[in-house]
């Protein structure tokens, strides 16, 4: 009925169309994951700014009870401005520094029992705890997105699309080492 050459040509055209369709599907998934990772990093940046703002407010609340270092306030301002375009590595450093600042503040709060029960300080400490949870959720989401993206780069056949477009692995957001395993202690 149909000449063999026509059947072969139809099979080749259908195969080619399927490969092109697969290529665009995988390419679009890579782009979706890359955009999702950037959006999540931006959410982490926003949460870190919130944390720094809260630390600044805590510093103001604590100042009346204890002499606090001027350099701490300056460092908060520097960190806040550096977060805007921070890479995952820079976010890691800012995370570590904000935890240290928060740790020092908490130590001061614990040294002054009446400060520990001050309404403003209690509310600020609760807000800090909420921000800590938000940062942890965003970090988890970012790392899950990066895992999927990097897995696609490593696995066949999506690795072919990755190589064709020079897609590189994204870095995980590993925020610190052992010191990060313990959340800042926030007590009331």
């Amino acid at each position: 009925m149909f000449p063999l050459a026509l059947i072969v040509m139809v099979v080749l055209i259908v195969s080619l169309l399927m490969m092109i369709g697969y290529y665009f599907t995988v390419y679009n998934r890579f782009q979706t994951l890359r955009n999702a990772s950037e959006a999540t990093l931006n959410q982490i940046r926003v949460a870190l700014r919130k944390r720094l703002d809260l630390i600044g407010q805590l510093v103001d609340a604590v100042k009346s009870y204890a002499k606090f270092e001027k350099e701490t306030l300056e460092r908060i301002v520097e960190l806040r401005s550096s977060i805007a375009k921070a890479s995952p590595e820079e976010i890691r450093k800012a995370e570590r520094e904000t935890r240290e600042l928060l740790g020092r503040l908490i130590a001061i709060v614990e040294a002054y029992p009446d400060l520990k029960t001050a309404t403003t300080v209690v509310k600020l400490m609760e807000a800090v705890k909420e921000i800590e949870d938000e940062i942890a959720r965003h970090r988890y989401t970012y790392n899950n997105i990066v895992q999927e993206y990097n897995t696609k780069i490593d696995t066949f056949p999506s690795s072919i699309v990755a190589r064709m477009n020079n897609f590189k692995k994204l870095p995980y957001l590993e925020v610190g080492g052992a010191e990060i395993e313990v959340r800042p202690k926030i007590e009331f």
Side-chain angles (χ1 to χ4, degrees), residues 43-44 47-48 50-51 54 95 99 102 125-141 183-184 186:
Q43 291 170 336
I44 292 169
L48 284 173
K50 285 182 196 175
R51 179 200 277 168
L54 287 170
E95 169 78 10
R99 283 180 177 275
L102 189 56
M125 296 293 261
E126 288 171 0
V128 168
K129 182 186 178 309
E130 290 171 14
I131 292 295
E132 290 295 318
D133 291 340
E134 182 180 338
I135 291 170
R137 281 191 313 274
H138 291 315
R139 189 181 320 125
Y140 176 81
T141 300
R183 291 175 65 180
I186 299 175

Side-chain angles (χ1 to χ4, degrees), residues 71-155:
E71 67 187 44
T72 300
L73 291 171
E74 291 169 354
R75 190 61 193 138
I76 289 170
V77 171
E78 288 173 24
L79 282 169
R80 193 174 193 295
S81 64
S82 72
I83 290 173
K85 296 290 182 185
S87 68
E89 177 61 34
E90 293 164 332
I91 288 175
R92 197 174 314 156
K93 289 177 185 175
E95 169 78 10
R96 191 175 309 119
E97 284 192 57
T98 59
R99 283 180 177 275
E100 289 171 7
L101 290 171
L102 189 56
R104 287 193 288 179
L105 272 170
I106 291 169
I108 289 172
V109 169
E110 288 178 352
Y112 294 87
D114 49 328
L115 182 59
K116 255 173 108 166
T117 59
T119 306
T120 304
V121 173
V122 169
K123 286 181 182 177
L124 288 170
M125 296 293 261
E126 288 171 0
V128 168
K129 182 186 178 309
E130 290 171 14
I131 292 295
E132 290 295 318
D133 291 340
E134 182 180 338
I135 291 170
R137 281 191 313 274
H138 291 315
R139 189 181 320 125
Y140 176 81
T141 300
Y142 173 82
N143 283 337
N144 280 339
I145 292 166
V146 167
Q147 179 183 12
E148 183 179 346
Y149 182 89
N150 290 346
T151 299
K152 284 194 152 308
I153 287 175
D154 288 339
T155 57

Side-chain angles (χ1 to χ4, degrees), residues 34-64:
R34 184 182 299 168
N35 291 341
S37 72
E38 258 314 300
T40 305
L41 270 180
N42 285 334
Q43 291 170 336
I44 292 169
R45 289 179 184 113
V46 168
L48 284 173
R49 277 190 214 108
K50 285 182 196 175
R51 179 200 277 168
L52 287 165
D53 289 346
L54 287 170
I55 291 172
Q57 292 173 15
L58 269 171
V59 167
D60 288 341
V62 168
K63 268 200 275 190
S64 62

Side-chain angles (χ1 to χ4, degrees), residues 22 25-34 145-163 167-169 172:
Y22 176 78
T25 300
V26 172
Y27 178 86
N28 288 338
R29 185 64 185 151
F30 274 118
Q31 294 304 328
T32 300
L33 290 169
R34 184 182 299 168
I145 292 166
V146 167
Q147 179 183 12
E148 183 179 346
Y149 182 89
N150 290 346
T151 299
K152 284 194 152 308
I153 287 175
D154 288 339
T155 57
F156 183 82
S158 59
S159 61
I160 295 170
V161 175
R163 269 194 304 272
F167 292 146
K168 302 292 182 209
K169 286 188 172 187
Y172 285 99

